[in-house]
Amino acid sequence: MVKLPIKDCCRDNWTWNRNDKSHEVRLIGSRAKVVKFHPNWSNGTAGIRGNRSLNNGRHYWEIKISQRVFGTSMMFGVGTKRARLHIDAFINLLGEDDQSWGLSHKGTLWHNGEWTQYTKPFRENEPVVIGMLFDWYKGTLTYFKDGVNLGVAFSGINHVTDDLYPIVCSTAAKTEMTLGVRLRTFQSLQDRCRAVILTATRPTTVNIDVLPLPKLIKNFIKAGVTS
């Protein structure tokens, strides 16, 4: 993992949403962290959304992309619930309209149907790790490539009134992306205390149930158990 791009933070536990994805997306493993696009062949663009919104706070997460880097567009970014996750065409799906913001493996940024060159195209057929830092307070989305900060890509994102979610998509057959480290800033003193408890005890949802605590507190602690 790169040097932490946010301070005063804790590990997060969101993952990909099994019920909010293209039919051309498969999730591998019980923790829903590995995404496989177009498992047989590709005739379009497929995407998947995270299972929790990123509104409020600062969030950092990494996507590990397998060596199959090729095709029209492999993309990483954020979008609302209204950003579509499938089309039977090869396009830059993230950023096709005003509902999403995305970076393509071709090095271009897309939003509202317009693009700008942001970085060099990724080398084809070489694995790469993409990090994303979303600062809700500043309204910015910054990308990292193999630990190198590429600079602010988008600004003004916090003007959106809808919830925003992590999204990835791909046009290329049999490509895989794995969700890596996830971090977020603390949301409250209660949240900070939970992080200390989880760090000190490394509990599971099973042994939390046997703690002599009120049910509401146990549920709050369990919600912070990392996947």
Side-chain angles (χ1 to χ4, degrees), residues 78-153:
V78 299
T80 71
K81 280 284 189 179
R82 290 186 282 177
R84 63 177 172 174
L85 299 177
H86 184 87
I87 182 174
D88 291 328
F90 301 116
I91 69 168
N92 293 285
L93 191 59
L94 274 177
E96 65 167 343
D97 56 23
D98 62 354
Q99 297 301 305
S100 58
W101 296 255
L103 167 66
S104 164
H105 79 287
K106 298 291 182 68
T108 53
L109 297 174
W110 285 82
H111 175 63
N112 206 19
E114 299 180 350
W115 66 274
T116 57
Q117 196 68 41
Y118 174 65
T119 187
K120 294 180 180 179
F122 299 1
R123 290 183 180 274
E124 291 198 354
N125 300 315
E126 288 189 12
V128 63
V129 177
I130 297 299
M132 280 157 278
L133 174 62
F134 177 54
D135 190 326
W136 172 258
Y137 303 121
K138 294 181 179 179
T140 57
L141 179 61
T142 301
Y143 290 93
F144 296 72
K145 182 182 177 186
D146 290 329
V148 177
N149 188 334
L150 300 179
V152 173

Side-chain angles (χ1 to χ4, degrees), residues 2-30:
V2 300
K3 183 178 180 180
L4 298 185
I6 54 176
K7 299 179 180 179
D8 200 24
C9 64
C10 62
R11 292 191 176 273
D12 207 352
N13 66 341
W14 65 266
T15 188
W16 300 117
N17 193 328
R18 297 182 182 275
N19 302 311
D20 197 9
K21 64 182 181 63
S22 163
H23 63 276
E24 281 293 308
V25 166
R26 302 289 184 273
L27 285 170
I28 302 173
S30 59

Side-chain angles (χ1 to χ4, degrees), residues 1 11 23 43-44 46 73 77-78 84 145 165 192 199 216:
M1 189 184 75
R11 292 191 176 273
H23 63 276
N43 59 2
S73 185
V78 299
R84 63 177 172 174
K145 182 182 177 186
Y165 300 82
R192 187 185 296 270
T199 301
L216 285 176

Side-chain angles (χ1 to χ4, degrees), residues 25-88:
V25 166
R26 302 289 184 273
L27 285 170
I28 302 173
S30 59
R31 296 181 178 178
K33 292 196 294 184
V34 181
V35 179
K36 187 166 188 175
F37 299 92
H38 313 287
N40 298 310
W41 60 84
S42 176
N43 59 2
T45 311
I48 187 169
R49 230 180 315 265
N51 66 355
R52 196 174 70 233
S53 74
L54 303 176
N55 292 46
N56 300 311
R58 304 178 77 214
H59 304 263
Y60 177 79
W61 65 101
E62 291 180 345
I63 305 293
K64 301 175 183 178
I65 308 161
S66 70
Q67 64 183 15
R68 290 179 62 82
V69 177
F70 68 103
T72 301
S73 185
M74 301 175 71
M75 302 193 77
F76 335 89
V78 299
T80 71
K81 280 284 189 179
R82 290 186 282 177
R84 63 177 172 174
L85 299 177
H86 184 87
I87 182 174
D88 291 328

Side-chain angles (χ1 to χ4, degrees), residues 186-217:
F186 295 112
Q187 298 171 344
S188 64
L189 178 59
Q190 185 182 40
D191 186 32
R192 187 185 296 270
C193 292
R194 175 175 63 184
V196 172
I197 293 172
L198 293 173
T199 301
T201 60
R202 297 187 181 278
T204 65
T205 55
V206 175
N207 60 34
I208 289 173
D209 282 328
V210 302
L211 294 175
L213 296 171
K215 184 177 179 179
L216 285 176
I217 294 179

